[in-house]
Amino acid sequence: MSISCFLLQVIIGAGSLVMMFIVHWPLACSSLVVLLISYAVSARFVRQIRTLSEQSLRPQGKLAEKFSDFIGGIQLVKLFHIRPIYTQYAGLNGQVTQVATQIARKNGMLATVNHFISYVTFCGMIVVGSLLYAYGLIGMGTVAALAVLQINLTHAIMHFGTILSMAQNSLAGAHRLQEIMDQEEEPERIGSSDETRSSSAFSPAMVEFRSVDFSYQPDTRVLSGVSLQVFPGQTAAIVGASGSGKSTLIKPLLGFYPIGAGSF
């Protein structure tokens, strides 16, 4: 829904409420009370939807990562140990599906409650207006005017609930972006500093690790004190089971991650 449509519904709803006060203020007060109740119900639902939307973003990011690995040909890289990757993908897909189902259920409940409150109010307006007309307290034209104005107010309430629900995904995404922007920036140079390189003795090796420590998370060390040399003309093979650290050994060398200690 565009902003212009939303503003149009706000103007129609506010105008209808004002006209109801002009036509018959006691019934307008009852509509105002119902409007506040509908807003309270919507606010309760949208808080839950916001929480679920934020919970869905992290598994969606990991799911996209796994999917990009499949597109990049991880089936060949992990040829003999691909089943755990498929299991992880299926698990993440299940998490995203479960959260999406909960969000859809909350949205459905919100729409149902708003429809119920709005139409009960409309029916109540017709019944009460008819009784007042039967006792000669108001005219039929007043009853018809209140009914039409209540219809406009009902549509405005339902559109407002829909807007609140849709806005939660955007707010959750903005919160996730803010978390990413608050992450610590990587150093300008990945790997050993210029001072370390200048102080180190010259090595004829084409590739060299000197007591390199590395970890993806601060509390979990992946590489500890790794040292190796590959000289010109040599062919070196890094052999190990899936998950033993072969790719991790290359990633700092390519500048994808900073090392914790040592140099290369």
Side-chain angles (χ1 to χ4, degrees):
M1 181 183 295
S2 62
I3 297 179
S4 60
C5 293
F6 172 70
L7 293 177
L8 178 62
Q9 292 299 325
V10 171
I11 294 174
I12 292 175
S16 299
L17 189 60
V18 171
M19 290 302 301
M20 290 177 71
F21 272 99
I22 295 175
V23 174
H24 196 274
W25 70 266
L27 290 180
C29 289
S30 63
S31 295
L32 180 60
V33 171
V34 173
L35 179 63
L36 295 176
I37 293 174
S38 178
Y39 174 77
V41 172
S42 299
R44 181 177 180 181
F45 274 100
V46 296
R47 282 195 295 267
Q48 300 175 4
I49 295 173
R50 169 73 178 276
T51 302
L52 291 173
S53 298
E54 291 179 351
Q55 292 177 358
S56 67
L57 290 178
R58 293 185 181 276
Q60 283 181 8
K62 294 180 180 179
L63 190 65
E65 178 186 354
K66 297 297 181 183
F67 188 72
S68 64
D69 288 341
F70 288 139
I71 296 177
I74 197 173
Q75 297 89 335
L76 298 178
V77 178
K78 301 286 187 180
L79 181 61
F80 299 103
H81 298 274
I82 191 62
R83 190 170 297 276
I85 306 298
Y86 285 128
T87 303
Q88 295 174 9
Y89 184 85
L92 291 171
N93 190 42
Q95 294 180 23
V96 172
T97 302
Q98 181 179 3
V99 176
T101 302
Q102 294 177 356
I103 293 176
R105 186 179 294 115
K106 294 294 182 182
N107 285 327
M109 293 175 62
L110 174 60
T112 301
V113 171
N114 280 334
H115 277 75
F116 177 77
I117 294 176
S118 299
Y119 284 111
V120 166
T121 305
F122 173 75
C123 294
M125 183 72 68
I126 296 296
V127 173
V128 174
S130 300
L131 291 175
L132 293 177
Y133 171 75
Y135 284 100
L137 299 177
I138 60 175
M140 181 55 69
T142 302
V143 177
L146 290 173
V148 173
L149 292 172
Q150 182 61 41
I151 290 176
N152 293 334
L153 188 60
T154 296
H155 285 295
I157 292 174
M158 290 187 295
H159 281 86
F160 182 71
T162 303
I163 287 293
L164 285 179
S165 176
M166 294 172 58
Q168 302 315 304
N169 292 329
S170 299
L171 292 175
H175 182 262
R176 179 58 179 159
L177 286 176
Q178 187 62 43
E179 288 182 348
I180 296 175
M181 294 177 65
D182 291 339
Q183 294 291 324
E184 183 179 357
E185 294 185 5
E186 294 182 350
E188 294 183 0
R189 184 177 182 85
I190 307 296
S192 56
S193 62
D194 294 336
E195 291 78 5
T196 304
R197 290 180 181 273
S198 60
S199 61
S200 301
F202 173 77
S203 174
M206 294 293 293
V207 177
E208 183 174 9
F209 282 78
R210 304 187 189 97
S211 302
V212 171
D213 294 343
F214 172 75
S215 58
Y216 292 105
Q217 301 295 332
D219 56 345
T220 304
R221 182 173 296 180
V222 181
L223 302 178
S224 179
V226 176
S227 298
L228 63 86
Q229 290 180 322
V230 180
F231 293 93
Q234 285 187 333
T235 300
I238 304 173
V239 181
S242 179
S244 61
K246 302 185 300 298
S247 300
T248 300
L249 189 63
I250 301 301
K251 289 177 180 178
L253 185 64
L254 297 177
F256 293 154
Y257 296 96
I259 59 177
S263 62
F264 54 79

